[in-house]
Amino acid sequence: MRLYQLAILVTMPGPIRSVTPQQTATLRAVVDTIVPADEYPSGTEAGVLDYLDGQFGGDLAGSRACYGAGLDAVDAEAGETYGTRFDLLDPVQREALLRALESGDTRTPWPFDAAVFVSTVVGHVMEGFYGDPGNGGNRDAVSWRMIGFEVGE
Amino acid sequence: MMRVDAVVIGSGAGGGVAAAVLAQAGKQVLVLERGRDLTFEQIGRDHLRNHRIARYAHRSGPDYEDSPRVIVDEAGNEQQVRAHEPGFHGNATLVGGGTRLYGAQAWRFLPADFAMAGTYGVPAGSSLADWPVGYDDLAPSYERAEWEIGVCGDHTASRRHWTRAKPYPMPPLPEGLQARALRRGADALGWDVLPVPMLINSVPYAGRAACTRCRHCVGFACPAEAKNGSHNTVLRRALATGRTRLLAEAVAERVTCDSAGRVTGVRWVDRSGARHVVEAEVVVCAAGAIETARLLQNSPTRREPQGLGNNHDQVGRHLQGHAYAWALGEMDEDVHDGLGPGVSLATLGFAHHNEGVVGGAMLADEFIPLPIAFWAWNLPPDVPRWGAGNKRYMRENYRRVMRVGGPVQEIPSPHARTRLDRHVRDRWGIPVARLSGTTHPETLRTAAYIAGRAREWLLASGARRAWTAEVPLRLYAGQHQSGTCRMGDDERTSVVDRWGRVHGHDNLYVVDASVHVTNGAVNPVLTVMALAYRAAERLCADW
């Protein structure tokens, strides 16, 4: 239930580098595939990127490089399968690609287990979306109001 | 050098009671608490760092960097784990211990809980045994705990299960939508139910307010101080005598002992790493089943080279807690009404005497789940973990999915144990706990039976579907950790006598769940409190 996967990512060897604009675009697309917009805001609209930014300066500081490498790998998969970047795919293609990676179905070399990367990112995105607003995401407690955690408020 | 009458190690359920009884009897008491003295604001309402769901380092202890543990898994692989990680088997570590944050279910053990071996026989390979005391021995202490710490409950319904002299001091909390649905199911099945007794003020009590029905109960501190724990009852009374000193961030390193076996005091470490020694007439260990065992093991003498009370290799064995068996049901109507704590209605119909299995469990509904915990734990297996379908399910069913579950009384194994690791030390250089072994496989047969009853109850209560999951064979020694200094009359098979005194040491006591021979078919904290009253009263009477 808890993030065994995180420990794997934290200890993964890899060059330290900052997240590039392309990686940010990919991350934005990944987050909104995990929590897409409907009658309620998407993950990024609810502040999940703000949550992740905060965590990259804190609990997840050691995961930042792995995120970069994983996002590059997601982009490479998109290129191999669809001939373009992940953020330029349509929502159906994005979901299909992440589902494939989640089941370990990869077409390009990965620096670590693609399925672990996807499930770890899913966990972090849900923390940002359903966690308390004090953690930087879940803007205005929008997910809590969506599900009815706070009845009558 | 400091000198007191008694040192109490740990300020949780057992330590708080012992400190109060000793101080009220005129003794000078020093309470050493490893954790910090935290305010409500410091504990916070962080949904990612709490003792219900710990995705990152705890805000309410144990501190991230203080002390790892080593866990040896079922395959023999060993791994160092930090305080918030799976496998650590931690308890909240702060002033008040787990009682500051607990769910506060206030169950007395059932009479048959004290006689598991006699009732069912001893499964091969298990260390199942009867307690040297029974329910009737503990009944007066349970009553004292209910009144002095404060329990709400239904006396009439409870009398169907226990001989009770006095009613609870407070009526049960009002029932909500979960209880309404479950009463309907129980009626249909012909099952007996009762309100869950809670260490919570349902009405103002002992100078503190009633529960405000907030949604952040278990895992968090109470904003109204309506949840009754050591910190706002017994510890406060101990301090009010003027004879108790409470030191936070004070880690007991070693119980010191003279060559005749008489305990002389405690060596402890402060936050800076400085060592101190306090001399005492009596030492009372209440650090929890893992840390109490570790402390005794870290206190070897020439007479007892494996640690105090450990010449028969019993300290640290029979480590147990509870394996939780549960089912989740998706109802046709809302059952989440936003009124905490959430847990409300129970049945004790499957705590004992179930066909074909050993023991059983109390079954009850669940505390209000935090949204992130609901996502992590409460979704049906066929719902995708992310994407549009996941979001829709969360939205449509957060208020309709209900969990029913209960603490399965473990069949203890002598191989489930905590020892000292030979290599890993904590930040003060003290050898850390090394956990290994699993519960006995019989526990899982009972768990499967109990999960089936949980599912049956949900379906009878109107669930349109219900699901459960297999309870895995592993160690269960987290918040209900117990068993490592078991109580008994024979020093070859136990660590403390029926009064909690360590065999061979007239002035060394254990008053936490370490002494539990078995851990009950219910939550254990009221039993910890009752046993601490009983032990401390006897200690004062003999002093």
Side-chain angles (χ1 to χ4, degrees), chain A residues 29-114:
Chain A
V30 166
V31 167
D32 283 348
T33 305
I34 293 168
V35 182
D38 48 18
E39 308 95 288
Y40 286 85
S42 71
T44 61
E45 288 163 353
V48 169
L49 292 181
D50 295 336
Y51 166 72
L52 290 174
D53 268 352
Q55 285 291 76
F56 285 143
D59 292 305
L60 298 179
S63 306
R64 196 181 173 106
C66 302
Y67 252 80
L71 293 167
D72 286 348
V74 168
D75 253 347
E77 290 284 341
E80 183 70 22
T81 307
Y82 297 107
T84 188
R85 294 161 18 195
F86 185 80
D87 64 301
L88 298 179
L89 301 180
D90 68 40
V92 173
Q93 291 169 324
R94 290 179 186 177
E95 173 157 355
L97 188 75
L98 285 193
R99 297 264 178 233
L101 297 179
E102 186 181 35
S103 65
D105 178 8
T106 58
R107 301 182 178 195
T108 60
W110 273 72
F112 35 70
D113 187 331

Side-chain angles (χ1 to χ4, degrees), chain A residues 1 34 36 38-41 51 55 59 98-99 102 124 126-127 130 132 135 144 146-149 153, chain B residues 46-49 55-56 84 86 215 336 371-372 375 377 385-388 390-391 394-395 398-399:
Chain A
M1 306 268 187
I34 293 168
D38 48 18
E39 308 95 288
Y40 286 85
Y51 166 72
Q55 285 291 76
D59 292 305
L98 285 193
R99 297 264 178 233
E102 186 181 35
H124 295 160
M126 294 304 180
E127 290 166 8
Y130 290 112
D132 55 301
N135 270 297
W144 292 358
M146 177 184 85
I147 66 174
F149 172 57
E153 285 174 23
Chain B
D46 189 327
H47 283 214
L48 308 179
R49 298 168 192 81
R55 295 181 77 92
Y56 302 103
H84 66 290
R215 289 170 294 269
H336 171 78
I372 185 67
W375 173 80
W377 300 331
R385 302 293 306 160
W386 53 272
N390 180 271
K391 190 179 180 189
M394 288 287 295
R395 177 159 69 237
Y398 174 77
R399 294 176 68 177

Side-chain angles (χ1 to χ4, degrees), chain B residues 86-300:
Chain B
F88 186 85
H89 294 95
N91 244 331
T93 302
L94 70 169
V95 168
T99 71
R100 186 80 191 274
L101 312 170
Y102 60 7
Q105 292 188 46
W107 296 102
R108 297 184 180 199
F109 277 8
L110 292 154
D113 289 338
F114 297 93
M116 289 287 287
T119 305
Y120 302 102
V122 179
S126 86
S127 47
L128 193 65
D130 290 346
W131 289 56
V133 296
Y135 173 76
D136 292 341
D137 298 304
L138 243 66
S141 306
Y142 277 127
E143 183 178 288
R144 188 172 179 192
E146 286 170 356
W147 281 79
E148 295 202 2
I149 301 168
V151 174
C152 67
D154 182 334
H155 178 61
T156 306
S158 292
R159 284 178 74 180
R160 297 198 289 268
H161 304 281
W162 298 272
T163 308
R164 295 177 51 86
K166 259 170 99 171
Y168 292 103
M170 292 174 273
L173 287 163
E175 292 183 357
L177 296 181
Q178 289 191 155
R180 190 183 306 168
L182 288 171
R183 277 197 184 276
R184 198 168 57 218
D187 283 349
L189 293 164
W191 293 3
D192 177 79
V193 290
L194 74 166
V196 174
M198 308 285 291
L199 285 138
I200 289 178
N201 291 350
S202 59
V203 294
Y205 186 71
R208 282 175 292 104
C211 172
T212 59
R213 313 296 306 276
C214 84
R215 289 170 294 269
H216 293 83
C217 193
V218 65
F220 299 93
C222 179
E225 287 292 343
K227 185 155 73 178
N228 301 317
S230 288
H231 62 290
N232 56 12
T233 62
V234 282
L235 274 181
R236 191 172 284 184
R237 282 168 219 149
L239 293 168
T241 63
R243 289 185 289 274
T244 299
R245 192 166 164 205
L246 167 65
L247 292 180
E249 302 180 61
V251 175
E253 178 179 26
R254 185 187 183 109
V255 176
T256 56
C257 196
D258 69 17
S259 57
R262 186 161 180 83
V263 163
T264 56
V266 176
R267 187 167 78 206
W268 60 277
V269 194
D270 69 22
R271 195 74 194 165
S272 75
R275 257 66 181 181
H276 307 267
V277 173
V278 53
E279 291 187 342
E281 293 294 314
V282 168
V283 171
V284 179
C285 300
I290 293 172
E291 291 298 325
T292 286
R294 177 182 171 214
L295 178 63
L296 296 180
Q297 291 163 346
N298 267 323
S299 307

Side-chain angles (χ1 to χ4, degrees), chain B residues 348-370:
Chain B
L348 291 167
F350 306 102
H352 285 285
H353 308 299
N354 297 304
E355 184 70 32
V357 298
V358 181
M362 173 275 294
L363 278 175
D365 53 349
E366 176 60 299
F367 292 91
I368 290 181
L370 302 178

Side-chain angles (χ1 to χ4, degrees), chain A residues 4-22:
Chain A
Y4 274 116
Q5 296 98 324
L6 177 64
I8 297 167
L9 278 185
V10 167
T11 56
M12 206 78 73
I16 301 294
R17 54 181 172 174
S18 57
V19 176
T20 64
Q22 179 50 44

